[in-house]
Amino acid sequence: MKKYAAELVGTFWLVLGGCGSAVIGAAFPELGIGHLGVSLAFGLTVLTMAYAIGHISGCHLNPAVSVGLWAGGRFPAKDLVPYIIAQVIGGILAGGVLYLIATGKAGFDVAAGFASNGYGKHSPGGYTMQAALISEVVMTMIFIVVIMGATDKRAPAGFAPIAIGLCLTLIHLISIPVTNTSVNPARSTGVALYVGDWATAQLWLFWLAPLVGGVLGAFIYRLIDNSEN
């Protein structure tokens, strides 16, 4: 159970740190951290937790990562569902804590988005559903390629969290305008449930696309991997 608890805590931190930076810090008057700051915050959550719990659970923090690693032969099928359940619970708990903090400010309106992912009129840049689908699939695909490569036993030891955290930062720099960046169904679910309405209606895409991207990433890495295995 310890590895499942680690995934819950790690995903809690990812959602609280990443979405919290978007909800609370991004547009703070004059000193707001903006697009760059939110991107960095998501990367830092993964970087810090990878060092904290990587040796316990592998620090997936993301159903798409767990599915991708399973598809890549790096993760046992028996742990797949428990990991996903723990990750989703961690995301929802983080969304609840963030909601309690955010509503402490007069005038806060959860319907404004609450860092939820969306497309069409709910995309930060007004991108279509097709654009959102392509973005989420491709970004998750590359994320899995980086994760599998950085954690390969032939890669330099101890540097995987840095590569993975920076990759997630870059993904956000590219795709926040498109979907507010998911690449993680647990992250999307953790805040969408508190918004309801359009956020939960569009949540399907932010499960489907990352999971497809995760499997494609595993396939691509295995295709280009030059190990004998």
Side-chain angles (χ1 to χ4, degrees):
M1 292 298 294
K2 289 183 178 180
K3 58 188 177 184
Y4 306 144
E7 283 297 302
L8 188 154
V9 171
T11 310
F12 175 91
W13 181 233
L14 182 147
V15 175
L16 184 61
C19 294
S21 69
V23 171
I24 298 171
F28 189 76
E30 299 181 12
L31 298 176
I33 62 175
H35 182 176
L36 175 60
V38 173
S39 300
L40 186 59
F42 272 100
L44 288 172
T45 62
V46 172
L47 173 63
T48 52
M49 273 297 158
Y51 282 116
I53 67 169
H55 56 287
I56 301 172
S57 69
C59 192
H60 297 187
L61 317 185
N62 181 342
V65 171
S66 296
V67 168
L69 292 176
W70 163 76
R74 298 274 193 90
F75 187 62
K78 66 180 179 64
D79 284 334
L80 193 55
V81 171
Y83 261 56
I84 292 173
I85 291 172
Q87 292 155 0
V88 171
I89 291 173
I92 293 171
L93 290 175
V97 170
L98 181 57
Y99 180 82
L100 291 174
I101 295 170
T103 52
K105 179 181 178 181
F108 174 77
D109 181 13
V110 71
F114 198 51
S116 291
N117 303 113
Y119 54 83
K121 67 180 181 179
H122 301 294
S123 157
Y127 287 82
T128 64
M129 181 180 72
Q130 180 181 6
L133 185 64
I134 293 170
S135 176
E136 290 292 325
V137 169
V138 173
M139 297 300 161
T140 311
M141 180 182 73
I142 296 300
F143 192 37
I144 298 302
V145 170
V146 171
I147 289 171
M148 291 189 69
T151 58
D152 191 289
K153 62 184 179 181
R154 295 162 295 166
F159 291 97
I162 298 172
I164 295 167
L166 288 176
C167 181
L168 189 60
T169 298
L170 179 56
I171 285 169
H172 280 78
L173 287 172
I174 298 167
S175 60
I176 281 178
V178 184
T179 61
N180 227 8
T181 308
S182 171
V183 301
N184 184 340
R187 169 260 188 270
S188 298
T189 303
V191 290
L193 293 184
Y194 295 90
V195 178
D197 193 26
W198 66 266
T200 50
Q202 295 190 354
L203 186 59
W204 66 271
L205 186 145
F206 303 104
W207 272 88
L208 176 64
L211 293 178
V212 170
V215 173
L216 288 175
F219 173 77
I220 289 173
Y221 186 77
R222 296 184 78 166
L223 188 67
I224 63 176
D225 182 14
N226 64 359
S227 69
E228 294 183 0
N229 295 326

